[in-house]
Amino acid sequence: MPTLSSRADRAAGGGRLRLALQIGLALAACALVVLLTRTWAEDLFLEQTRARAAAKLDLYASNLSGALAKYQAVPRLLALNGDVVALFRRVGDPAAQARANLLTATINDLTGAEDTYLMDAQGMTFAASNWDSERPFVGHNFSYRPYFQQAMEGRLGRYFALGTTSGKRGYYFASRVTDNGEALGAVVVKVSLDDIEAAWTASEEDVIVTDPYGVIFIASQPDWRFRSLAPLDEAALKAIAENRRYESADLRPLELEHRDLGSTGAQLLTFTGAAAPEAGAEYIMIDEAMPEAGWTLHVLASTQLARSQTVTAMVVAALACAITLLIATLILQRRSRFIERIEYQRRASVELEHRVEERTADLTEANVQLEREIAERQAAEAELRQAQDDLIQAGKLAALGQ
């Protein structure tokens, strides 16, 4: 028959097995909670990052549009000026050319443009604000530039490119000069965006401007300039070469991994190459087309804060699960011990009852035996007394007989 201690050991073993199973299930539940927390927190904080970037994108777009808007009317006003028209009529006159050079230099000083120059109907520059520099535009033909072609068609010429003479980036505005319906040439104003770009380097987000082919023309990170967001095909390279837009620039693509962020239109970029600000840098990129300027503005917001917030949320969830698991474990242990004590007491009570019953049976049997022995002794005593009485009576009779 199993003893009370062996039964208790088996009960304790079963309790430990149940406890281990419960802890395993609790750990699995905690892992699931942490995983769900990661998914929820990642979506939440990345969306917050995207929303902040979208708000900044509007500011950057307005700033850039405003910086360009104050220059686009300058070539039109000059093209309508009678003195300027007269200078176009006197191309080749040294005195007129000197006056034109001084005029363009004055316009530069007043407007803050980088360069102002005058081109005849064949695209030859005959006067420029940098006429006295080491590499003046005077004598250079820029008829291959789209801004000149657009202007000669009667439209406002707009174009951005790397200067073939100066080697500097700029945005070009051009307007046709006419006299009595005759196209005499074009007035061109080149705008430098270096100041705007320099201001962007101090912002929290990175900002880039790309052309229709995806080539980065303006960037808050200098290493990103003249790189592309994706490899360029042959058609794009040919078009860029024909316009000499980025002459001598190495148009290599950035080493990126792209991933769409749902239906928001944003992309998740991961830098894998040397152009990354830091190894494995990750950004949310949103963009806004600026069709008048012919480019696309992009804001790249680092996901570092969102990722750290996600990790924090996961740590908090893990701690909460750990505390909950610890409390549950303590409760289960106390409950298990309580149940074990109750079971032990129940089994002890049962065993005690069995022992009492056995003892009672033994006592009952002993009592019966004792009663039997007492009865036998009483019978023997009665027989002895009877014998004694018989002897006494016989003695009396014998005495009487004598």
Side-chain angles (χ1 to χ4, degrees):
M1 180 179 180
T3 63
L4 183 62
S5 60
S6 62
R7 293 176 182 176
D9 291 339
R10 287 198 299 272
R16 285 192 294 269
L17 180 61
R18 287 193 300 272
L19 181 60
L21 180 61
Q22 291 169 349
I23 291 176
L25 293 175
L27 289 175
C30 287
L32 179 61
V33 169
V34 172
L35 182 61
L36 293 176
T37 300
R38 176 188 175 184
T39 302
W40 167 80
E42 186 177 70
D43 292 342
L44 174 65
F45 295 127
L46 287 180
E47 172 56 25
Q48 290 179 353
T49 302
R50 188 206 64 80
R52 288 194 298 268
K56 292 292 185 69
L57 178 64
D58 293 336
L59 294 177
Y60 289 127
S62 300
N63 178 256
L64 195 54
S65 298
L68 296 177
K70 67 179 183 180
Y71 292 102
Q72 68 180 15
V74 175
R76 286 180 173 177
L77 293 175
L78 291 175
L80 296 175
N81 186 276
D83 293 336
V84 174
V85 174
L87 293 174
F88 274 83
R89 284 295 187 185
R90 298 172 60 187
V91 173
D93 183 349
Q97 182 177 0
R99 286 185 56 197
N101 286 333
L102 292 175
L103 174 63
T104 54
T106 301
I107 295 298
N108 250 29
D109 293 338
L110 293 175
T111 61
E114 183 173 350
D115 293 300
T116 303
Y117 49 100
L118 309 179
M119 304 168 63
D120 63 18
Q122 286 71 45
M124 184 64 69
T125 304
F126 66 88
S129 57
N130 63 353
W131 61 274
D132 58 347
S133 65
E134 294 181 358
R135 303 181 66 181
F137 294 166
V138 177
H140 289 271
N141 191 305
F142 299 116
S143 59
Y144 57 86
R145 289 296 202 188
Y147 62 79
F148 176 76
Q149 299 166 9
Q150 294 166 3
M152 295 306 290
E153 293 172 358
R155 296 180 289 156
L156 175 65
R158 306 172 71 112
Y159 194 66
F160 56 96
L162 185 65
T164 56
T165 303
S166 65
K168 297 179 180 180
R169 297 167 301 152
Y171 194 87
Y172 300 83
F173 291 103
S175 184
R176 183 176 65 181
V177 178
T178 60
D179 186 25
N180 295 325
E182 179 186 358
L184 303 179
V187 177
V188 182
V189 174
K190 180 181 179 182
V191 181
S192 173
L193 300 175
D194 290 346
D195 292 340
I196 295 177
E197 187 182 63
W200 288 351
T201 59
S203 62
E204 295 180 358
E205 301 80 14
D206 285 300
V207 188
I208 61 175
V209 177
T210 59
D211 68 5
Y213 304 107
V215 177
I216 299 173
F217 179 66
I218 306 173
S220 56
Q221 295 284 348
D223 292 341
W224 297 352
R225 293 174 192 158
F226 307 116
R227 305 288 294 274
S228 60
L229 293 177
L232 302 175
D233 56 25
E234 292 297 328
L237 292 172
K238 183 179 179 181
I240 292 172
E242 288 177 352
N243 297 325
R244 301 172 67 182
R245 182 172 235 165
Y246 306 116
E247 197 167 36
S248 73
D250 184 12
L251 305 179
R252 291 176 298 140
L254 290 172
E255 298 176 8
L256 298 170
E257 293 180 358
H258 298 253
R259 181 164 68 88
D260 292 333
L261 284 179
S263 60
T264 61
Q267 287 187 319
L268 191 66
L269 303 183
T270 303
F271 281 79
T272 58
E278 58 184 25
E282 186 184 62
Y283 296 88
I284 289 179
M285 184 179 74
I286 60 174
D287 53 66
E288 180 177 335
M290 302 181 68
E292 289 187 357
W295 56 32
T296 302
L297 179 65
H298 309 260
V299 171
L300 285 75
S302 174
T303 62
Q304 184 175 4
L305 177 61
R307 295 301 184 191
S308 63
Q309 289 175 323
T310 300
V311 172
T312 302
M314 292 173 63
V315 170
V316 171
L319 288 175
C321 286
I323 293 173
T324 303
L325 180 59
L326 179 60
I327 294 174
T329 301
L330 293 175
I331 293 175
L332 288 175
Q333 284 182 340
R334 291 178 63 87
R335 179 175 177 274
S336 177
R337 290 174 181 175
F338 180 72
I339 292 175
E340 288 177 1
R341 285 198 301 269
I342 292 177
E343 182 66 17
Y344 179 83
Q345 291 174 356
R346 185 186 68 79
R347 293 187 178 185
S349 177
V350 171
E351 187 169 349
L352 180 61
E353 288 178 1
H354 284 301
R355 290 183 177 181
V356 168
E357 289 176 356
E358 292 176 356
R359 185 63 176 168
T360 301
D362 292 341
L363 291 175
T364 301
E365 185 178 353
N367 288 334
V368 170
Q369 182 66 28
L370 181 60
E371 289 177 354
R372 185 182 300 113
E373 291 177 355
I374 292 173
E376 290 177 354
R377 179 170 294 183
Q378 289 176 347
E381 289 178 353
E383 290 178 358
L384 180 59
R385 285 195 297 270
Q386 184 64 38
Q388 290 176 348
D389 291 342
D390 290 342
L391 289 174
I392 293 171
Q393 186 65 28
K396 288 179 178 182
L397 292 175
L400 289 176
Q402 289 177 1

